Amino acid sequence: MGQCGITSSKTVLVFLNLIFWAAAGILCYIGAYVFITYDDYDHFFEDVYTLIPAIIIIAVGTLLFIIGLIGCCATIRESSCGLATFAAILLLVFVTECVVVVLGYIYRAKAEDQVNHSIQKVYNEYNGTNTDAPSRAIDYVQKQLHCCGIHNYSDWRNTRWFKESKNNSVPVSCCQPSISNCTGTLARPADLYQEGCEALVVKKLKEIMMYVIWSALTFASIQMLGMLCACVVLCRRSHDPAYELLVTTNSYA
């Protein structure tokens, strides 16, 4: 019965190691996605420490490749030292992912304050040229999120670009794609996106943090199961003389 329990735990361990390799790829992908998305919105979110959870996620994903290798070798070779190392590293990664969850919630809560603080400055720096980073950022966000201005399209009236251009128009990135020949003129407000960008940028940044949080929680749960299985194999091996004899016999065979 004890041998059956150990075999079941070992089978689960091997299966979990395969999951760890898959999880490593997924975590690295999520971390890269956060980096790429942040790059598109970085003018609206000045706190670079927001990237810390993404950096940790990528580091954890890389470490999971190593964990999977150690776990497979330790399970196949029946190594007590290897399994103990495997469980210890899993515990370290589990704690790290708990830190990621906490940091994710902290920076998610700060997203609105950060955007509120920076968005007016970014809009005031707009000059309508594609070579200007703030201008590219605003045009990108307005096209991607289907928004115009901070709260609505009328906010453009207060910008330096609007006052200097003196054409009573907003950027063409405010134009709805279904409208042909849209020039951004305020004489035809129905051609423009009606919703402001501030709330949508905050929503997008909070969604990014939730991806990180849920990923960390999901894989932390899997790692907890891996630690449990490793501990079961180690405990059964140390308390079951028949299993120890079987392992020794197989080693000499």
Side-chain angles (χ1 to χ4, degrees):
M1 188 70 179
Q3 175 65 27
C4 181
I6 293 173
T7 303
S8 299
S9 297
K10 286 169 61 181
T11 302
V12 173
L13 263 179
V14 172
F15 179 69
L16 283 173
N17 287 323
L18 297 177
I19 293 179
F20 289 153
W21 280 329
I26 294 171
L27 286 176
C28 288
Y29 170 81
I30 292 172
Y33 168 76
V34 172
F35 267 105
I36 293 170
T37 308
Y38 180 88
D39 186 57
D40 294 329
Y41 295 88
D42 62 347
H43 287 84
F44 301 93
F45 206 74
E46 298 175 346
D47 189 355
V48 295
Y49 293 107
T50 308
L51 289 175
I52 289 178
I55 295 171
I56 297 176
I57 281 290
I58 292 176
V60 167
T62 304
L63 188 58
L64 280 179
F65 278 111
I66 302 172
I67 291 174
L69 182 62
I70 293 174
C72 275
C73 292
T75 304
I76 293 171
R77 297 183 62 184
E78 312 277 355
S79 170
S80 297
C81 180
L83 284 172
T85 303
F86 175 69
I89 296 176
L90 277 182
L91 178 61
L92 176 63
V93 173
F94 176 79
V95 172
T96 303
E97 288 184 329
C98 289
V99 172
V100 169
V101 172
V102 173
L103 289 176
Y105 273 109
I106 291 174
Y107 292 124
R108 187 174 184 272
K110 292 174 63 177
E112 187 167 358
D113 290 337
Q114 285 287 327
V115 172
N116 290 343
H117 179 264
S118 61
I119 195 167
Q120 184 67 59
K121 176 185 174 183
V122 178
Y123 269 83
N124 283 332
E125 292 176 352
Y126 185 87
N127 64 18
T129 62
N130 193 48
T131 56
D132 181 61
S135 298
R136 287 199 309 271
I138 289 174
D139 287 333
Y140 174 85
V141 167
Q142 292 189 152
K143 287 179 181 178
Q144 291 295 313
L145 301 184
H146 296 174
C147 58
C148 183
I150 299 174
H151 303 102
N152 55 58
Y153 60 83
S154 65
D155 293 323
W156 278 103
R157 297 180 186 273
N158 302 318
T159 64
R160 184 176 59 187
W161 174 81
F162 183 90
K163 295 172 183 177
E164 291 177 353
S165 61
K166 298 179 181 180
N167 59 6
N168 197 38
S169 296
V170 298
V172 292
S173 57
C174 283
C175 292
Q176 299 186 44
S178 59
I179 306 296
S180 60
N181 301 320
C182 176
T183 61
T185 176
L186 291 178
R188 299 179 59 182
D191 294 355
L192 310 175
Y193 293 124
Q194 303 299 304
E195 193 169 0
C197 294
E198 182 178 39
L200 294 178
V201 170
V202 170
K203 180 181 177 182
K204 184 68 175 181
L205 292 172
K206 286 185 175 182
E207 285 177 356
I208 294 170
M209 282 297 112
M210 282 308 299
Y211 291 148
V212 173
I213 290 169
W214 281 111
S215 300
L217 284 174
T218 300
F219 293 116
S221 301
I222 295 173
Q223 285 151 24
M224 185 181 293
L225 181 59
M227 285 188 291
L228 179 62
C229 290
C231 290
V232 167
V233 173
L234 283 170
C235 291
R236 290 284 180 84
R237 180 172 181 176
S238 61
H239 292 93
D240 191 339
Y243 176 69
E244 186 67 36
L245 180 61
L246 177 63
V247 173
T248 306
T249 302
N250 289 338
S251 299
Y252 285 109

